[in-house]
Amino acid sequence: MLMVLFLPKGKLHLSLDRTEWDFGSQQWNVLMLTAYSEGVGLPLWWSLLDNNSGNSNTQDRTKLLTQVVTLLGSERIGSLCADREFIGKDWYKWLLNNKIRFFLRLPKSHHIQVGQHLMKPESILGDRKKALLDNIQIADFQLSVALERVVNQKGESDLLVVLTNSFAYIDSFLQTSVEYRNLF
């Protein structure tokens, strides 16, 4: 909680990630929430997962974020960014119920329902560099999806697929994604 004293005033942009550390025969699987401001990340809250290298589940995530919301208040959370393992209907529902603006990266193999058709992001994008889809039905919710061709850390062409609940701010996603893209 001491780290809260070092946070800037105003809205915070949070990143949720899981990391694994091996110390000899001991393995630590950590779920970490970091606050970002002006390109600097400050570890805010973390919890140890007891599943030996497994992904977190919705209960792990909501427990961690509930502690942060209790400490800071949901009005301080400007947005939450998370990678491909942080998906799921119950997770989306919790974020929506808590009015947390989110940008969740989806696996590029994830199918997206466009009208009556389930399509892969690559097919939706076609020859375009980027596409924004509003009011897409995903796990019983009307959400938005942003697709963009990017160059990954290895210098290879890749596809960034991001699920968001902030279609009213979707234009700002492209600006925000430049900051977040470095986290993936």
Side-chain angles (χ1 to χ4, degrees), residues 1-151:
M1 287 199 290
L2 181 61
M3 295 300 228
V4 172
L5 299 174
F6 297 101
L7 295 173
K9 294 186 187 300
K11 299 276 187 183
L12 298 172
H13 298 285
L14 305 178
S15 175
L16 182 64
D17 204 0
R18 187 189 57 82
T19 185
E20 183 180 307
W21 294 79
D22 293 322
F23 296 102
S25 63
Q26 186 69 27
Q27 188 173 60
W28 297 66
N29 194 9
V30 182
L31 186 61
M32 173 76 67
L33 189 68
T34 304
Y36 281 87
S37 177
E38 297 181 30
V40 176
L42 183 66
L44 194 56
W45 208 278
W46 60 88
S47 64
L48 295 176
L49 303 175
D50 61 1
N51 58 2
N52 293 333
S53 300
N55 290 342
S56 66
N57 58 38
T58 297
Q59 183 179 356
D60 296 328
R61 295 176 220 147
T62 57
K63 182 179 177 186
L64 182 134
L65 234 37
T66 297
Q67 293 169 331
V68 171
V69 167
T70 301
L71 180 66
L72 297 175
S74 60
E75 66 281 352
R76 288 274 329 263
I77 300 174
S79 65
L80 173 72
C81 176
D83 207 359
R84 292 171 282 232
E85 74 179 74
F86 301 101
I87 59 175
K89 180 179 177 178
D90 291 337
W91 174 233
Y92 305 151
K93 183 177 180 179
W94 188 90
L95 290 170
L96 290 166
N97 286 342
N98 284 276
K99 297 178 176 52
I100 296 175
R101 182 175 155 204
F102 59 81
F103 298 96
L104 306 176
R105 187 168 182 191
L106 294 178
K108 57 187 168 188
S109 61
H110 196 89
H111 285 79
I112 298 169
Q113 186 168 343
V114 180
Q116 299 300 318
H117 305 284
L118 280 177
M119 301 174 70
K120 285 193 174 185
E122 187 71 37
S123 299
I124 296 169
L125 199 53
D127 293 336
R128 294 172 291 188
K129 182 171 171 46
K130 53 185 128 181
L132 304 173
L133 307 170
D134 289 331
N135 297 315
I136 299 297
Q137 184 75 25
I138 295 185
D140 297 335
F141 307 107
Q142 293 293 110
L143 299 169
S144 297
V145 176
L147 306 126
E148 185 176 359
R149 290 189 200 286
V150 296
V151 175

